Amino acid sequence: MKEFVLKVPSSQQLDDWFRFVSESIKNTNDIDLLIVDFNEVRFMETDDFVILACLIESFYINNCKISFIGGTDGFNNHLFNIKFKEYWKVGFDRSKFTLSHNSTTLCLWKISENMIYSYSMYAKEYFERFTDNKDLVPLSSNMDEVFNNIFDHSKSPVTGYIITQYYPKNHKISFSVCDFGIGIPTSINNSDVQGTKEIEDWKAILKSLERGFSINSTPRNRGFGLNNILELTESSNGKLLIISNNGIVEKQAGNVYRAGNVGYDFSGTLIKVEVDLNTFVEKDDTDEIFDF
């Protein structure tokens, strides 16, 4: 039996994670058993979880069995609560919503095209209970936008993963989505849109954030590209991170972009969104009264 060990980074540095992915992805073929070693890992952000899930999935779809070792006691308790180690067991359906033992986490979900709207509405209703009558429709509609972009443009053998986390101390929500597809820059460079041929990866990501920019996606995508997500993070005192191919764009509400090339080539797209629930408007009960 041929084994391969994934030694999960214990740091929160993006460089460490993407170098880990670029080296590991070369070994997905002809492996019988993947051993995911959490070694001294104590904590992982939402982006770390979806990156790791996509990487594990890349081995799994090649008929590889998955096992787990390592990790601190506290971290393994968190993995148990979100059922992370269950996902690649025989018979587990990763495309269905999985309830967490931890009420502040919406478990990892392998994005399924026919359940996109259901997930985003479920997330809206799930997290609204942590708010004082706040309306989280903008959050759910932007989840739709990200999911549809994956199916329209990524051409990913791994359809993508999302995980959503609520942080009670600062009343914020973070969700991250990852796929191992062709990436936003490649999708834009391959399009027929004028002025998008052979532009640098980070410039292509910025282009995707422009209002009204579209590469003629299917009708379910409303033609706003990722601009809606940018506007959501701006209006909710949030943060947006997009890494795709060799480009990175970061935007914190009220601040200028941080954009450029990275020191690794990531074949895929990672989108991380953070929003402050205090900034969302309250529900308008009159809409329900007159909704007929």
Side-chain angles (χ1 to χ4, degrees), residues 146-169:
V146 175
F147 298 154
N148 286 325
N149 266 275
I150 286 176
F151 283 101
D152 285 343
H153 309 306
S154 76
K155 300 179 176 63
S156 176
V158 177
T159 56
Y161 276 92
I162 181 174
I163 192 169
T164 310
Q165 178 71 47
Y166 170 63
Y167 297 99
K169 288 185 178 180

Tab-separated table of all heavy atoms in Angstrom, residues 146-169:
chain	number	residue	atom	x	y	z
A	146	VAL	N	-20.928	33.804	-5.105
A	146	VAL	CA	-19.659	33.070	-5.074
A	146	VAL	C	-19.848	31.651	-5.600
A	146	VAL	O	-19.061	31.164	-6.421
A	146	VAL	CB	-19.088	33.038	-3.643
A	146	VAL	CG1	-17.833	32.168	-3.601
A	146	VAL	CG2	-18.746	34.435	-3.168
A	147	PHE	N	-20.900	30.964	-5.140
A	147	PHE	CA	-21.143	29.590	-5.581
A	147	PHE	C	-21.338	29.518	-7.094
A	147	PHE	O	-20.788	28.644	-7.771
A	147	PHE	CB	-22.395	29.028	-4.900
A	147	PHE	CG	-22.305	28.948	-3.404
A	147	PHE	CD1	-23.446	28.983	-2.628
A	147	PHE	CD2	-21.083	28.833	-2.768
A	147	PHE	CE1	-23.380	28.897	-1.253
A	147	PHE	CE2	-20.994	28.760	-1.384
A	147	PHE	CZ	-22.155	28.788	-0.626
A	148	ASN	N	-22.145	30.422	-7.621
A	148	ASN	CA	-22.424	30.404	-9.058
A	148	ASN	C	-21.175	30.693	-9.880
A	148	ASN	O	-21.005	30.157	-10.981
A	148	ASN	CB	-23.526	31.410	-9.393
A	148	ASN	CG	-24.895	30.934	-8.951
A	148	ASN	OD1	-25.183	29.742	-8.991
A	148	ASN	ND2	-25.745	31.847	-8.513
A	149	ASN	N	-20.296	31.547	-9.360
A	149	ASN	CA	-19.031	31.802	-10.050
A	149	ASN	C	-18.202	30.532	-10.153
A	149	ASN	O	-17.530	30.298	-11.163
A	149	ASN	CB	-18.243	32.902	-9.329
A	149	ASN	CG	-18.509	34.271	-9.910
A	149	ASN	OD1	-17.895	34.682	-10.874
A	149	ASN	ND2	-19.482	34.970	-9.331
A	150	ILE	N	-18.242	29.702	-9.119
A	150	ILE	CA	-17.497	28.447	-9.159
A	150	ILE	C	-17.997	27.566	-10.296
A	150	ILE	O	-17.219	27.039	-11.099
A	150	ILE	CB	-17.612	27.711	-7.805
A	150	ILE	CG1	-16.744	28.405	-6.753
A	150	ILE	CG2	-17.199	26.245	-7.948
A	150	ILE	CD1	-16.864	27.807	-5.368
A	151	PHE	N	-19.310	27.419	-10.399
A	151	PHE	CA	-19.856	26.527	-11.420
A	151	PHE	C	-19.784	27.129	-12.822
A	151	PHE	O	-19.697	26.406	-13.809
A	151	PHE	CB	-21.302	26.155	-11.073
A	151	PHE	CG	-21.382	25.121	-9.999
A	151	PHE	CD1	-21.672	25.475	-8.698
A	151	PHE	CD2	-21.125	23.788	-10.276
A	151	PHE	CE1	-21.725	24.524	-7.693
A	151	PHE	CE2	-21.166	22.825	-9.285
A	151	PHE	CZ	-21.468	23.189	-7.993
A	152	ASP	N	-19.785	28.457	-12.908
A	152	ASP	CA	-19.721	29.090	-14.221
A	152	ASP	C	-18.308	29.132	-14.791
A	152	ASP	O	-18.108	29.035	-15.995
A	152	ASP	CB	-20.252	30.526	-14.149
A	152	ASP	CG	-21.769	30.556	-14.032
A	152	ASP	OD1	-22.404	29.525	-14.324
A	152	ASP	OD2	-22.312	31.598	-13.655
A	153	HIS	N	-17.313	29.311	-13.924
A	153	HIS	CA	-15.984	29.673	-14.431
A	153	HIS	C	-14.833	28.774	-14.005
A	153	HIS	O	-13.802	28.767	-14.666
A	153	HIS	CB	-15.648	31.104	-13.991
A	153	HIS	CG	-16.717	32.101	-14.310
A	153	HIS	ND1	-17.213	32.256	-15.578
A	153	HIS	CD2	-17.388	32.983	-13.526
A	153	HIS	CE1	-18.146	33.206	-15.566
A	153	HIS	NE2	-18.279	33.643	-14.338
A	154	SER	N	-14.966	28.041	-12.912
A	154	SER	CA	-13.766	27.413	-12.365
A	154	SER	C	-13.336	26.162	-13.125
A	154	SER	O	-12.162	25.850	-13.191
A	154	SER	CB	-13.985	27.051	-10.892
A	154	SER	OG	-14.806	25.904	-10.766
A	155	LYS	N	-14.314	25.405	-13.678
A	155	LYS	CA	-13.997	24.117	-14.338
A	155	LYS	C	-13.164	23.236	-13.415
A	155	LYS	O	-12.160	22.648	-13.798
A	155	LYS	CB	-13.279	24.344	-15.673
A	155	LYS	CG	-14.101	25.148	-16.678
A	155	LYS	CD	-13.329	25.373	-17.965
A	155	LYS	CE	-14.173	26.098	-19.003
A	155	LYS	NZ	-14.570	27.454	-18.573
A	156	SER	N	-13.608	23.177	-12.168
A	156	SER	CA	-12.837	22.493	-11.145
A	156	SER	C	-13.244	21.033	-11.005
A	156	SER	O	-14.435	20.721	-10.950
A	156	SER	CB	-13.032	23.197	-9.788
A	156	SER	OG	-12.374	22.494	-8.756
A	157	PRO	N	-12.281	20.107	-10.965
A	157	PRO	CA	-12.621	18.709	-10.699
A	157	PRO	C	-13.146	18.520	-9.279
A	157	PRO	O	-13.866	17.569	-8.991
A	157	PRO	CB	-11.281	17.980	-10.892
A	157	PRO	CG	-10.246	19.024	-10.671
A	157	PRO	CD	-10.835	20.311	-11.154
A	158	VAL	N	-12.764	19.435	-8.394
A	158	VAL	CA	-13.301	19.489	-7.032
A	158	VAL	C	-14.244	20.681	-7.000
A	158	VAL	O	-13.816	21.822	-7.138
A	158	VAL	CB	-12.179	19.668	-5.990
A	158	VAL	CG1	-12.765	19.784	-4.595
A	158	VAL	CG2	-11.195	18.509	-6.064
A	159	THR	N	-15.544	20.442	-6.824
A	159	THR	CA	-16.528	21.502	-7.031
A	159	THR	C	-16.407	22.662	-6.050
A	159	THR	O	-16.978	23.713	-6.272
A	159	THR	CB	-17.962	20.945	-6.937
A	159	THR	OG1	-18.144	20.290	-5.682
A	159	THR	CG2	-18.223	19.974	-8.073
A	160	GLY	N	-15.661	22.498	-5.000
A	160	GLY	CA	-15.457	23.594	-4.066
A	160	GLY	C	-16.049	23.289	-2.704
A	160	GLY	O	-16.986	22.494	-2.556
A	161	TYR	N	-15.494	23.943	-1.692
A	161	TYR	CA	-15.964	23.793	-0.316
A	161	TYR	C	-16.185	25.162	0.308
A	161	TYR	O	-15.500	26.138	-0.040
A	161	TYR	CB	-14.941	23.026	0.528
A	161	TYR	CG	-15.040	21.523	0.432
A	161	TYR	CD1	-14.292	20.826	-0.500
A	161	TYR	CD2	-15.880	20.807	1.275
A	161	TYR	CE1	-14.371	19.436	-0.583
A	161	TYR	CE2	-15.973	19.423	1.199
A	161	TYR	CZ	-15.216	18.747	0.274
A	161	TYR	OH	-15.301	17.378	0.195
A	162	ILE	N	-17.130	25.216	1.249
A	162	ILE	CA	-17.365	26.414	2.046
A	162	ILE	C	-17.481	26.013	3.510
A	162	ILE	O	-17.947	24.908	3.832
A	162	ILE	CB	-18.652	27.159	1.605
A	162	ILE	CG1	-18.857	28.429	2.461
A	162	ILE	CG2	-19.872	26.257	1.683
A	162	ILE	CD1	-20.005	29.304	2.021
A	163	ILE	N	-17.049	26.905	4.385
A	163	ILE	CA	-17.339	26.774	5.806
A	163	ILE	C	-17.601	28.184	6.333
A	163	ILE	O	-16.998	29.155	5.853
A	163	ILE	CB	-16.183	26.094	6.586
A	163	ILE	CG1	-16.631	25.712	7.995
A	163	ILE	CG2	-14.940	26.957	6.628
A	163	ILE	CD1	-15.639	24.793	8.726
A	164	THR	N	-18.541	28.291	7.265
A	164	THR	CA	-18.949	29.589	7.794
A	164	THR	C	-18.863	29.568	9.310
A	164	THR	O	-19.346	28.627	9.955
A	164	THR	CB	-20.389	29.936	7.359
A	164	THR	OG1	-20.511	29.762	5.952
A	164	THR	CG2	-20.737	31.368	7.720
A	165	GLN	N	-18.255	30.616	9.871
A	165	GLN	CA	-18.012	30.681	11.311
A	165	GLN	C	-18.507	32.003	11.878
A	165	GLN	O	-18.240	33.069	11.319
A	165	GLN	CB	-16.511	30.525	11.598
A	165	GLN	CG	-16.128	30.628	13.064
A	165	GLN	CD	-16.591	29.416	13.859
A	165	GLN	OE1	-16.388	28.281	13.437
A	165	GLN	NE2	-17.220	29.649	15.006
A	166	TYR	N	-19.225	31.917	12.991
A	166	TYR	CA	-19.649	33.117	13.733
A	166	TYR	C	-18.746	33.288	14.945
A	166	TYR	O	-18.471	32.331	15.672
A	166	TYR	CB	-21.103	32.974	14.175
A	166	TYR	CG	-21.568	34.024	15.149
A	166	TYR	CD1	-21.603	35.374	14.790
A	166	TYR	CD2	-21.971	33.681	16.435
A	166	TYR	CE1	-22.022	36.346	15.695
A	166	TYR	CE2	-22.403	34.641	17.333
A	166	TYR	CZ	-22.425	35.967	16.962
A	166	TYR	OH	-22.842	36.931	17.850
A	167	TYR	N	-18.272	34.529	15.153
A	167	TYR	CA	-17.402	34.843	16.287
A	167	TYR	C	-18.177	35.730	17.267
A	167	TYR	O	-18.347	36.932	17.025
A	167	TYR	CB	-16.133	35.545	15.804
A	167	TYR	CG	-15.276	34.688	14.892
A	167	TYR	CD1	-15.336	34.847	13.505
A	167	TYR	CD2	-14.431	33.716	15.407
A	167	TYR	CE1	-14.561	34.052	12.662
A	167	TYR	CE2	-13.650	32.917	14.576
A	167	TYR	CZ	-13.725	33.097	13.206
A	167	TYR	OH	-12.961	32.302	12.382
A	168	PRO	N	-18.679	35.152	18.360
A	168	PRO	CA	-19.541	35.909	19.280
A	168	PRO	C	-18.872	37.119	19.928
A	168	PRO	O	-19.538	38.128	20.190
A	168	PRO	CB	-19.909	34.865	20.351
A	168	PRO	CG	-19.656	33.540	19.716
A	168	PRO	CD	-18.522	33.746	18.766
A	169	LYS	N	-17.565	37.040	20.176
A	169	LYS	CA	-16.896	38.122	20.894
A	169	LYS	C	-16.934	39.439	20.128
A	169	LYS	O	-17.084	40.515	20.714
A	169	LYS	CB	-15.449	37.744	21.209
A	169	LYS	CG	-15.328	36.678	22.294
A	169	LYS	CD	-13.872	36.426	22.650
A	169	LYS	CE	-13.769	35.390	23.765
A	169	LYS	NZ	-12.340	35.116	24.130
